[in-house]
Amino acid sequence: MVVRSELSEAEIDRVFHALATSTRRDILRRTIEREQSVSELARDYEMSFAAVQKHVAVLEEARLIVKRAEGRERLVRANPEMIARARALLARYEELWRSRIARLDDLLARPSSDSAAPPASENTDTSTSSATHADNDQGA
């Protein structure tokens, strides 16, 4: 069995859309714990059965859950393969951001080479400048 790890852009969009609401995240959490019927799921929410069915359909479209028929019931369980793929995607994002933060930390930790020397516009030899002013004063 070949397990793909990379998600397509469309799959990523569906996963993030599915996880965008607390009700769907809760349904996913509950179906990770154990397989449940849509009716069981619906009992715990203050919304219609049809509304819960729509949430389940969004999770199913994202392939985060799998629904199967058993008699008149529709049983829902989490899909560990897709959850693992989504988790791998988030791990890559985390690695990317940690890398960027580490580079930023390195840049901020470097001593600034400009602060050791005075800016080029400042003249540190005041004797030359004073003598020039004195010569100009005498010639007047």
Side-chain angles (χ1 to χ4, degrees):
M1 178 171 120
V2 175
V3 177
R4 294 181 328 156
S5 62
E6 292 293 318
L7 294 170
S8 70
E9 289 298 316
E11 288 172 318
I12 292 169
D13 289 346
R14 283 191 296 270
V15 166
F16 281 114
H17 173 71
L19 297 175
T21 67
S22 61
T23 300
R24 289 194 287 263
R25 290 190 304 271
D26 189 58
I27 290 170
L28 182 60
R29 179 194 56 79
R30 292 172 61 193
T31 59
I32 288 171
E33 292 172 359
R34 68 179 181 85
E35 186 176 58
Q36 298 182 50
S37 70
V38 176
S39 299
E40 281 180 279
L41 291 168
R43 277 187 226 128
D44 292 337
Y45 302 107
E46 293 183 15
M47 63 181 75
S48 68
F49 178 80
V52 173
Q53 281 182 309
K54 287 180 183 179
H55 283 299
V56 167
V58 171
L59 289 164
E60 187 177 25
E61 184 180 327
R63 298 185 337 173
L64 290 166
I65 62 169
V66 177
K67 190 166 59 171
R68 68 179 181 90
E70 188 172 286
R72 292 180 53 194
E73 286 189 316
R74 299 295 174 256
L75 298 175
V76 180
R77 66 176 168 78
N79 179 356
E81 178 189 332
M82 183 55 89
I83 292 170
R85 292 172 69 198
R87 187 178 191 171
L89 171 69
L90 292 173
R92 286 193 303 277
Y93 285 147
E94 180 181 10
E95 183 179 314
L96 173 71
W97 281 106
R98 286 185 185 277
S99 170
R100 288 181 179 180
I101 290 169
R103 286 194 309 252
L104 183 59
D105 285 345
D106 289 346
L107 285 172
L108 293 173
R110 287 186 197 162
S112 175
S113 59
D114 293 338
S115 66
S121 64
E122 290 183 14
N123 188 346
T124 56
D125 185 0
T126 57
S127 62
T128 307
S129 133
S130 297
T132 305
H133 288 294
D135 289 343
N136 288 342
D137 287 343
Q138 287 177 356

